[in-house]
Amino acid sequence: QQQVKQSPQSLIVQKGGISIINCAYENTAFDYFPWYQQFPGKGPALLIAIRPDVSEKKEGRFTISFNKSAKQFSLHIMDSQPGDSATYFCAASSDTDKLIFGTGTRLQVFP
Amino acid sequence: NAGVTQTPKFQVLKTGQSMTLQCAQDMNHNSMYWYRQDPGMGLRLIYYSASEGTTDKGEVPNGYNVSRLNKREFSLRLESAAPSQTSVYFCASSSQGAVTEAFFGQGTRLTVV
């Protein structure tokens, strides 16, 4: 079964707009929630990560919002740029468990 | 600064052939992983090694074997390749388990005909 559910599968955003990708998890033992960014032909690379002791983490134009009671977290990309066009994966893990990825979201930002 | 190096980058196999995918990291990381990436399925964990000398099954281990040769190297073997194993394979490493940043290689694109 899918332990980390990600939506949408694809997203088209105008330059300057806000991109929002959502994830939901089932295992309440998860306590580490990273987002990875992947460009075509490359391996994924860590973008930003959050622990459940905070509800939000911001790094530049990228923000993770975390809702522990709903078991949901989301990635917001402000002022989206064509260079942000990539596939984004959410993931979840714990000290005693492996890193489980969502199914990915292909983001396209048009000028 | 090589990071995680995978070989080969591309491979075509016939059904029933065997091969080994090689992975090496130069970051002195304890943990290493093998994932496969398929359209619409995301990244699925095949096997992982939390530390040198240990290996464990992930979500999709059937048809694969692994060897943690030393701290640097973690290989993935397909004993009898099947078309269902056509995929892009990624090796990754992290300093200490699943709650630290994972660094990925460039991937191996494998086609089984």
Side-chain angles (χ1 to χ4, degrees):
Chain A
Q1 72 277 18
Q2 193 71 39
Q3 291 195 55
V4 180
K5 296 182 180 180
Q6 183 172 348
S7 63
Q9 188 172 352
S10 65
L11 183 61
I12 299 174
V13 173
Q14 202 79 13
K15 178 182 176 181
I18 302 173
S19 304
I20 301 174
I21 305 170
N22 300 299
C23 282
Y25 63 97
E26 299 171 2
N27 187 346
T28 55
F30 287 149
D31 62 359
Y32 176 68
F33 302 91
W35 284 88
Y36 281 78
Q37 180 187 54
Q38 184 182 32
F39 293 104
K42 304 291 186 183
L46 179 66
L47 184 64
I48 186 173
I50 196 169
R51 295 271 191 169
D53 52 344
V54 296
S55 60
E56 186 176 282
K57 182 174 182 180
K58 183 176 181 179
E59 289 185 2
R61 296 184 292 108
F62 300 91
T63 300
I64 300 179
S65 296
F66 184 80
N67 186 330
K68 188 174 181 178
S69 61
K71 293 188 288 184
Q72 295 175 346
F73 58 110
S74 59
L75 176 69
H76 295 234
I77 305 175
M78 311 299 288
D79 187 25
S80 299
Q81 299 296 312
D84 296 331
S85 297
T87 299
Y88 292 81
F89 293 96
C90 62
S93 68
S94 68
D95 281 331
T96 57
D97 209 338
K98 44 198 174 290
L99 188 63
I100 302 296
F101 284 86
T103 50
T105 297
R106 186 184 176 206
L107 171 66
Q108 295 173 275
V109 181
F110 286 96
Chain B
N1 186 6
V4 178
T5 303
Q6 290 183 235
T7 55
K9 288 186 168 53
F10 301 93
Q11 183 72 48
V12 178
L13 287 179
K14 293 182 179 178
T15 298
Q17 286 186 318
S18 63
M19 79 161 295
T20 300
L21 280 64
Q22 307 287 352
C23 175
Q25 53 91 7
D26 62 1
M27 295 173 282
N28 200 35
H29 284 171
N30 290 307
S31 306
M32 298 186 74
Y33 315 86
W34 276 105
Y35 287 89
R36 61 177 289 174
Q37 183 175 16
D38 303 289
M41 304 291 288
L43 291 150
R44 292 182 293 168
L45 184 64
I46 305 171
Y47 270 93
Y48 67 105
S49 171
S51 60
E52 185 179 357
T54 67
T55 60
D56 286 288
K57 295 178 180 179
E59 302 167 83
V60 289
N62 291 344
Y64 306 95
N65 284 300
V66 291
S67 295
R68 183 74 183 265
L69 304 169
N70 47 55
K71 192 172 185 179
R72 290 187 64 248
E73 298 172 288
F74 189 39
S75 62
L76 178 71
R77 182 160 178 84
L78 286 71
E79 291 291 351
S80 178
S84 61
Q85 294 178 305
T86 293
S87 187
V88 180
Y89 291 84
F90 286 100
C91 177
S93 70
S94 66
S95 59
Q96 199 69 43
V99 293
T100 53
E101 180 178 358
F103 292 82
F104 284 79
Q106 296 269 49
T108 295
R109 184 172 293 275
L110 175 67
T111 302
V112 183
V113 298

